[in-house]
């Protein structure tokens, strides 16, 4: 059974860096049919795509313009995990963060999601 | 970015009813739209991709259609387990965007 298991700090202080991991079991993060995404959900419920990483001969990353300059998404193949780093967080970064797999073979829908990591940005 | 307007924001219906949720896109998306169901405290779950293709294991009472830039999710014969919030998601181009969500409750 394929699973995405997330972990993270829960509480982050303003101006610090948020780091989250997503361990993939039952699938390979280096699959050339998959893309690994991060999506967050605000306290009011809105979903926002943050970015993704994927390998097609080499690793690529695509980021939402609203996140560029602050976000890094990377893959650790040996440890079967995907990571998100978000720098200089503010209270606006509070929400639930999800990793999600796109296994469409190109760039498409998200067929598998992690359980979510609630993050509060507060001093 | 593609804007999606989802309606209604909430819906209350009875068991056995037929309900519909609509997403209207600001640009043509082709068929690059998915629908998700999210239950309280859980991650979203894929229902539909390609505007109208049911994901594996999704009950056949879920149906989705496309007309131009309007996309509609219909649940026939509403069941109690269908309560939750429904979101559409366009993957036509980046940044991917989502509808605002429709909260479905049972009367």
């Amino acid at each position: 059974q394929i699973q995405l298991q997330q972990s993270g700090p829960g509480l982050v202080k303003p101006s610090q860096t948020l780091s989250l991991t997503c361990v993939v079991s039952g699938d390979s993060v280096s699959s050339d049919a998959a893309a690994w995404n991060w999506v967050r959900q605000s306290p009011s419920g809105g979903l926002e795509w943050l970015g993704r990483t994927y390998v097609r001969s080499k690793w690529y990353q695509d980021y939402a313009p609203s996140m560029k300059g602050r976000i890094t998404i990377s893959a650790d193949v040996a440890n079967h995990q995907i990571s998100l780093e978000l720098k200089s967080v503010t209270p606006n970064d509070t929400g639930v963060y999800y990793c999600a797999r796109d296994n469409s073979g190109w760039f498409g829908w998200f067929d598998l999601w992690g359980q979510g990591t609630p993050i509060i940005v507060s001093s | 970015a593609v804007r999606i307007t989802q309606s209604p924001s909430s819906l209350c219906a009875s068991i056995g009813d037929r309900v519909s949720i609509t997403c209207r896109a600001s640009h043509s998306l082709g068929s690059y739209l998915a629908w998700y169901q999210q239950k309280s405290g859980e991650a979203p779950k894929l229902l539909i991709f390609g505007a109208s293709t049911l994901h594996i294991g999704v009950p056949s009472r879920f149906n989705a259609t496309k007309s131009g830039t309007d996309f509609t999710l219909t649940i026939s014969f509403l069941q109690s387990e269908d309560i939750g919030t429904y979101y559409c998601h366009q993957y036509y181009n980046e940044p991917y965007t989502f509808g605002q969500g429709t909260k479905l409750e049972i009367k």
Side-chain angles (χ1 to χ4, degrees):
Chain A
Q1 185 182 359
I2 302 169
Q3 287 188 322
L4 306 181
Q5 184 67 38
Q6 298 180 222
S7 60
L11 178 65
V12 185
K13 288 182 168 35
S15 80
Q16 291 190 340
T17 295
L18 166 65
S19 295
L20 298 172
T21 60
C22 173
V23 175
V24 179
S25 57
D27 194 4
S28 171
V29 300
S30 57
S31 164
D32 61 5
W36 304 94
N37 297 261
W38 287 95
V39 176
R40 72 181 178 185
Q41 187 164 35
S42 69
S44 62
L47 292 167
E48 181 183 14
W49 178 76
L50 304 181
R52 66 185 170 209
T53 189
Y54 55 95
V55 64
R56 304 287 189 268
S57 302
K58 68 174 189 175
W59 284 96
Y60 295 88
Q61 292 80 35
D62 298 315
Y63 299 127
S66 60
M67 294 291 119
K68 275 184 181 171
R70 291 204 298 141
I71 190 172
T72 302
I73 296 175
S74 60
D76 179 347
V77 176
N79 289 302
H80 311 286
Q81 67 183 36
I82 304 296
S83 298
L84 167 71
E85 283 199 346
L86 189 62
K87 301 176 187 175
S88 305
V89 297
T90 73
N92 287 338
D93 295 309
T94 292
V96 179
Y97 287 71
Y98 295 98
C99 57
R101 184 183 77 165
D102 164 3
N103 201 40
S104 64
W106 185 230
F107 298 120
W109 55 93
F110 305 149
D111 68 330
L112 194 62
W113 296 63
Q115 82 275 21
T117 302
I119 297 295
I120 297 173
V121 179
S122 174
S123 53
Chain B
V2 176
R3 294 186 311 279
I4 298 180
T5 303
Q6 185 173 342
S7 62
S9 57
S10 64
L11 192 49
C12 193
S14 300
I15 299 295
D17 281 356
R18 174 182 166 130
V19 299
S20 292
I21 300 166
T22 297
C23 284
R24 174 167 290 173
S26 60
H27 302 80
S28 174
L29 302 179
S31 295
Y32 295 99
L33 187 118
W35 290 94
Y36 302 89
Q37 176 195 61
Q38 185 178 33
K39 297 190 176 183
S40 181
E42 298 182 4
K45 288 182 181 174
L46 178 66
L47 295 174
I48 303 279
F49 61 91
S52 61
T53 302
L54 242 61
H55 184 51
I56 296 171
V58 175
S60 57
R61 63 179 180 275
F62 289 89
N63 183 53
T65 58
K66 171 204 160 185
S67 177
T69 58
D70 288 350
F71 298 81
T72 301
L73 174 70
T74 299
I75 309 173
S76 305
F77 307 109
L78 190 67
Q79 302 296 300
S80 57
E81 60 263 32
D82 299 334
I83 60 167
T85 303
Y86 292 80
Y87 296 91
C88 59
H89 156 217
Q90 71 80 18
Y91 49 93
Y92 178 74
N93 61 12
E94 297 88 23
Y96 293 163
T97 48
F98 294 83
Q100 298 84 0
T102 296
K103 186 173 184 178
L104 175 59
E105 296 174 310
I106 304 292
K107 283 181 186 173

